[in-house]
Amino acid sequence: MPDTILKDTTGYYDFAEEKTNNSSLPRKLSTISGQLDKKPGDEVSEESDHTDHRGKWSKGTEFLLSCISISIGLGNVWRFPSLAYENGGGVFLIPYFILLFIMAKPLYYMELALGQFASSSPAKVWSCLPGFKGIGFAQMLSTFFLTTFYNFIMCLTIFYMFASMQSTLPWTWCDPDWADNSTCYNRLKENQTDSIRNQTASEQYFRRYVLNQVTHLEEMSTMDWRLVLCLLLSWTIVFLATVRGVQSLGKVVYVTATYPYIVLISLLVVALQKQGSIEGLVFFFKPKWNKLFDIEVWYKACEQSFFSLNTGFGHLIMYASYNNFRHNVHRDALIISVADTLTSVLAGCVVFSVLGTLAHDLEQDISTVAKDSGLTLAFITYPEALSQAPFVPQLWSILFFIMLYMLGLGSAIGHIEAILTTIKDEFPHLHQKKSVMALVACLTCFICGLPMTTNAGEHVINLLDNYGVGAAVFLYAVLEITGIMWIYGYRRFLSDVHFMLGRPVGWFWKWTWILVAPVSLIFIYGYGTVMLAIDNAKEEKDESNTRLIMPAWGTALGWILAMLCIIQIPFWFVVTIIKAPGSTVLEKLKYTFRPTPEWGPRNPTFRREWEKWNAKKIKGQAPSALYTNPSFKPDDV
């Protein structure tokens, strides 16, 4: 490490208290080697840009496809269409596009730029602001909860995939082995309106045969060996995809990022050939203008944009950390966000064209068959509609569930790699044991996912989703963007990105990063927290809500899961303060918000250029590009 770096013996950069006068600073700057006269943006070879043991994407295309694969997942296929229907149809697209444009996309670009600049994990990247290190560990735990129940959903797609290989699709008729004939009917053959026979064959197949669902969490019993084997197969595939880190992951994404488009377009073409499909599209896009002024619609649009692009979890920081330092991440951020939006709209067109056809066949209003969402849409309504495919419905059903699995696989391997990268960057010697780490992680997640294979599995999913993940992603996003822009300093960050990409950051990104995105996020996060508390209180008082009943100890367990994630942030903040130099709490607190010597490009050549770049700005050419508040500004400069 060159001795020209402004730091003290404690290991923290001392920008605030470095006592430098006008005569001594030029002498410091003059010691920088004259051989480092390259301009930002000059190319450095692949070999020189290699960050030792971490590895890199072999091609920029692999990074692009990996981001597309993790951003475009199951939520695009079932979550976006149902949210659009419930929140105003075509009107939902207006707040969705606006919030995607001013919040989700800027945060997406910021995370990619941050990860690429530091070439570090979601935890290590906070060497720029050591007091915020706990965000990375909180994100890792939330990702662990997320990938655990995400793979169970993928396990269900495998189950349905094998079930689709039968001569007759099993959910198209009421089999006495699992159906309750007093309540079961096939609505494709019997337009049943009897209040007693009020469950379709596809619904009873899913709830009674596949899940063997119970109402109370206390009724959890033995695991279903069929689901256990499907879950094991799913995790085995994830392991094979991540066994060699980004080297194996980069090859898998060529399939996971492209196959879903082939199936979606094929399904849309087939669906549009049937009567009722156009009415379904009209229903999807028809706006309900009164919903535009409903704040809850805007909250749902924000929530969907974040979950769709996968921002706030740290995955994007992880993926970008394996990029070459000069990679044009700005271009990729634009491509991926546009592709994600188009995919959501495409999936909505497919879903509602199929549901329009189903409504036509049943001679019912589309609102009665389009009201389902989530697992119900994916494993009840959609399979039922696909069974009416014009030729070989088994083939279309198999293709559909393979598509769902591929969408989930692209996200799952990103989840696992984010966890592994965080651990390996904390313990660098583990980078040499990629396969062992992948095996341990996948095996651990498989074991933790076994409770979901019981008859109370949906209760466990709700616990992990609502408490382990839920609105926590908004908190992470708020802390990320406010920490980088308002504490580390937006001028510093803009200068870092300028150095990395060789061009200044545009005005749009400046204003959204500095003001629009953080203020909007804080408002929506606050509103969402209050709204969720009110909704939970209503559900507890609703005596008719008896399908899934969560006991008090289950709710308490959920809050424990949530606290395991959130507590990481204040815990590591306190640890950082204790380890920080200084004799008083105030001195330690100041160092907690200053970059450590680890912060900066990992590649030695780029690091020396970055030091020279910063030194020139300190000298007086553009000091405001580095410091945003007086506590970070050197005296006497």
Side-chain angles (χ1 to χ4, degrees):
M1 185 81 64
D3 59 3
T4 55
I5 300 176
L6 301 180
K7 66 175 182 178
D8 64 10
T9 57
T10 61
Y12 284 75
Y13 282 94
D14 195 1
F15 285 131
E17 298 177 3
E18 178 88 13
K19 301 301 181 180
T20 309
N21 57 42
N22 291 333
S23 61
S24 63
L25 182 61
R27 284 199 301 272
K28 279 190 175 183
L29 299 176
S30 65
T31 61
I32 298 178
S33 174
Q35 64 181 349
L36 300 174
D37 290 329
K38 296 179 182 178
K39 298 177 180 179
D42 289 352
E43 291 296 326
V44 173
S45 68
E46 291 278 333
E47 184 177 358
S48 66
D49 193 33
H50 186 71
T51 54
D52 50 67
H53 47 264
R54 292 189 86 252
K56 285 201 173 287
W57 300 107
S58 58
K59 296 179 182 179
T61 306
E62 293 181 357
F63 165 71
L64 179 63
L65 291 177
S66 295
C67 288
I68 290 176
S69 186
I70 196 172
S71 297
I72 300 171
L74 295 173
N76 296 80
V77 173
W78 74 48
R79 200 170 187 273
F80 178 84
S82 59
L83 277 178
Y85 163 68
E86 294 168 1
N87 294 279
V91 162
F92 180 76
L93 298 176
I94 297 175
Y96 177 75
F97 287 144
I98 290 176
L99 295 176
L100 187 75
F101 190 69
I102 66 172
M103 289 176 53
K105 286 177 65 173
L107 187 63
Y108 193 97
Y109 180 27
M110 188 196 80
E111 287 190 348
L112 292 182
L114 187 64
Q116 180 171 303
F117 180 81
S119 298
S120 300
S121 70
K124 278 288 187 180
V125 79
W126 289 104
S127 57
C128 68
L129 205 61
F132 278 45
K133 183 178 182 178
I135 297 174
F137 292 113
Q139 290 172 326
M140 184 180 71
L141 274 176
S142 287
T143 297
F144 172 75
F145 295 143
L146 178 63
T147 194
T148 301
F149 75 76
Y150 218 74
N151 262 269
F152 178 71
I153 297 174
M154 293 162 59
C155 143
L156 294 178
T157 67
I158 293 177
F159 187 99
Y160 269 78
M161 197 187 309
F162 286 120
S164 301
M165 297 178 184
Q166 301 179 37
S167 57
T168 301
L169 293 175
W171 52 83
T172 58
W173 64 294
C174 298
D175 189 335
D177 290 340
W178 47 261
D180 181 356
N181 288 324
S182 63
T183 59
C184 179
Y185 74 99
N186 182 352
R187 65 174 170 181
L188 290 169
K189 295 182 179 179
E190 310 168 58
N191 193 1
Q192 185 60 252
T193 57
D194 190 341
S195 59
I196 298 177
R197 299 182 65 193
N198 57 3
Q199 289 186 321
T200 64
S202 59
E203 182 178 0
Q204 289 206 359
Y205 177 80
F206 179 62
R207 302 201 184 283
R208 296 170 63 90
Y209 181 71
V210 180
L211 297 181
N212 193 22
Q213 189 181 76
V214 293
T215 303
H216 298 269
L217 182 59
E218 294 94 333
E219 298 177 50
M220 179 184 291
S221 61
T222 57
M223 294 175 287
D224 188 324
W225 65 269
R226 304 165 306 167
L227 295 179
V228 171
L229 291 180
C230 289
L231 186 64
L232 179 61
L233 176 59
S234 179
W235 276 113
T236 301
I237 296 172
V238 173
F239 166 71
L240 294 175
T242 57
V243 65
R244 294 184 58 208
V246 292
Q247 283 79 14
S248 57
L249 189 154
K251 305 302 181 290
V252 173
V253 294
Y254 282 101
V255 178
T256 60
T258 56
Y259 176 80
Y261 288 102
I262 297 173
V263 176
L264 281 174
I265 294 173
S266 300
L267 286 173
L268 182 60
V269 172
V270 172
L272 289 176
Q273 295 177 2
K274 301 196 69 175
Q275 290 186 336
S277 59
I278 301 300
E279 288 76 6
L281 291 178
V282 171
F283 183 87
F284 175 46
F285 286 107
K286 184 179 179 181
K288 300 173 184 176
W289 294 108
N290 60 310
K291 289 279 191 177
L292 187 59
F293 303 99
D294 186 346
I295 186 64
E296 185 173 352
V297 173
W298 288 79
Y299 174 75
K300 293 295 184 182
C302 178
E303 187 181 53
Q304 175 60 20
S305 66
F306 269 71
F307 278 98
S308 181
L309 285 174
N310 225 9
T311 52
F313 285 106
H315 305 150
L316 302 174
I317 294 175
M318 176 273 298
Y319 271 153
S321 73
Y322 293 108
N323 272 343
N324 292 314
F325 188 76
R326 298 298 189 195
H327 182 76
N328 190 352
V329 71
H330 173 264
R331 174 201 60 202
D332 289 351
L334 294 177
I335 293 174
I336 295 163
S337 58
V338 171
D340 178 82
T341 303
L342 294 177
T343 304
S344 294
V345 175
L346 173 62
C349 292
V350 173
V351 168
F352 277 89
S353 59
V354 171
L355 294 179
T357 299
L358 181 61
H360 177 271
D361 293 342
L362 295 172
E363 297 181 351
Q364 295 179 3
D365 187 89
I366 191 173
S367 61
T368 62
V369 295
K371 61 183 178 181
D372 296 328
S373 61
L375 294 180
T376 302
L377 177 64
F379 296 107
I380 296 178
T381 307
Y382 220 115
E384 190 173 43
L386 286 173
S387 67
Q388 297 301 298
F391 58 93
V392 196
Q394 292 88 344
L395 174 62
W396 288 106
S397 183
I398 292 172
L399 291 176
F400 173 75
F401 286 111
I402 291 177
M403 179 197 70
L404 284 186
Y405 185 81
M406 288 297 179
L407 288 170
L409 179 62
S411 299
I413 57 181
H415 299 160
I416 288 296
E417 191 58 37
I419 296 172
L420 294 180
T421 298
T422 301
I423 296 173
K424 289 184 289 188
D425 276 7
E426 289 296 316
F427 307 97
H429 65 281
L430 294 178
H431 277 282
Q432 307 302 324
K433 300 179 180 180
K434 293 183 175 69
S435 58
V436 175
M437 291 292 294
L439 177 61
V440 171
C442 292
L443 185 60
T444 302
C445 290
F446 166 70
I447 294 173
C448 292
L450 289 177
M452 283 175 279
T453 64
T454 66
N455 53 355
E458 197 167 353
H459 290 279
V460 181
I461 291 177
N462 288 338
L463 279 176
L464 293 176
D465 188 15
N466 295 334
Y467 294 96
V469 184
V473 65
F474 284 110
L475 176 61
Y476 304 151
V478 167
L479 293 176
E480 269 188 4
I481 198 165
T482 55
I484 294 297
M485 296 301 154
W486 295 356
I487 302 178
Y488 173 71
Y490 69 88
R491 291 191 180 95
R492 278 189 190 180
F493 186 70
L494 294 177
S495 176
D496 292 341
V497 177
H498 183 179
F499 169 77
M500 179 175 68
L501 300 182
R503 61 182 180 185
V505 176
W507 66 268
F508 169 77
W509 303 110
K510 289 180 182 179
W511 284 106
T512 51
W513 281 344
I514 297 167
L515 185 63
V516 178
V519 171
S520 302
L521 262 175
I522 292 171
F523 172 76
I524 291 179
Y525 174 70
Y527 168 78
T529 303
V530 174
M531 187 186 73
L532 288 174
I534 294 174
D535 287 345
N536 290 337
K538 288 180 179 178
E539 288 181 6
E540 291 177 0
K541 295 179 180 179
D542 185 4
E543 298 181 356
S544 64
N545 185 23
T546 57
R547 190 175 67 83
L548 290 176
I549 299 176
M550 187 66 64
W553 66 266
T555 303
L557 178 61
W559 281 112
I560 292 174
L561 294 176
M563 289 306 299
L564 283 176
C565 297
I566 303 301
I567 199 68
Q568 300 298 318
I569 300 172
F571 172 78
W572 287 102
F573 182 79
V574 172
V575 169
T576 304
I577 290 179
I578 294 173
K579 290 185 175 180
S583 57
T584 66
V585 175
L586 183 59
E587 289 178 352
K588 288 177 173 289
L589 194 61
K590 288 181 179 179
Y591 278 103
T592 301
F593 294 111
R594 292 178 189 153
T596 71
E598 294 180 347
W599 171 246
R602 290 174 62 92
N603 177 274
T605 302
F606 287 129
R607 186 176 186 87
R608 290 193 297 270
E609 291 185 13
W610 176 66
E611 291 163 7
K612 181 178 179 180
W613 167 271
N614 285 349
K616 286 181 178 179
K617 293 183 178 298
I618 295 173
K619 187 176 181 180
Q621 291 183 8
S624 63
L626 287 175
Y627 311 108
T628 63
N629 91 45
S631 66
F632 287 101
K633 189 173 182 179
D635 295 339
D636 305 321
V637 175

